[in-house]
Amino acid sequence: MTKITKEEVKKVAHLARLELNENEINNHVKQLEKILDYIRQLEKIDTDDVPCTTRAIEVVNVFRKDEKKNSDCNEELLELGPSREDKYFKVPKIINE
């Protein structure tokens, strides 16, 4: 396997419009090499019997029938707001005339 070189890091930094000093370039070389080593380890894992998926955890939608329900707590809810006018919440005006 080939190693990441300083020249490759400089080229990618140039393409990304990044200014890296020599110390930063050396750090990126080491970090990218560690990342690639980890990927090489992952490539060795046998995944032939693992089904393809888009998520690590199965997601299931829970559906319920929409039902209209009457509520008798309107007055209590209006009392929770900072300001009200009759049976509505009162909010600051946001549109100028």
Side-chain angles (χ1 to χ4, degrees), residues 14-54:
H14 173 74
L15 293 172
R17 307 293 191 257
L18 298 174
E19 292 182 22
L20 301 177
N21 62 37
E22 199 63 31
N23 188 37
E24 292 171 321
I25 292 170
N26 290 331
N27 285 338
H28 280 77
V29 168
K30 291 174 189 174
Q31 291 173 357
L32 288 170
E33 200 52 50
K34 285 181 182 180
I35 292 169
L36 290 177
D37 284 340
Y38 184 67
I39 292 172
R40 287 184 199 109
Q41 290 177 22
L42 292 176
E43 287 175 339
K44 295 177 185 176
I45 298 172
D46 180 19
T47 58
D48 290 339
D49 295 329
V50 178
C52 293
T53 183
T54 57

Side-chain angles (χ1 to χ4, degrees), residues 32-85:
L32 288 170
E33 200 52 50
K34 285 181 182 180
I35 292 169
L36 290 177
D37 284 340
Y38 184 67
I39 292 172
R40 287 184 199 109
Q41 290 177 22
L42 292 176
E43 287 175 339
K44 295 177 185 176
I45 298 172
D46 180 19
T47 58
D48 290 339
D49 295 329
V50 178
C52 293
T53 183
T54 57
R55 294 179 173 85
I57 299 173
E58 186 63 31
V59 177
V60 179
N61 285 331
V62 178
F63 295 103
R64 62 172 172 76
K65 186 175 179 182
D66 286 335
E67 296 176 358
K68 180 180 175 182
K69 294 183 180 180
N70 291 327
S71 173
D72 61 349
C73 61
N74 290 347
E75 193 64 34
E76 293 172 27
L77 292 173
L78 286 168
E79 291 299 324
L80 294 174
S83 180
R84 68 181 275 191
E85 188 171 305

Side-chain angles (χ1 to χ4, degrees), residues 80-94:
L80 294 174
S83 180
R84 68 181 275 191
E85 188 171 305
D86 297 323
K87 58 180 183 174
Y88 304 101
F89 290 110
K90 188 174 181 179
V91 296
K93 185 176 179 178
I94 58 169

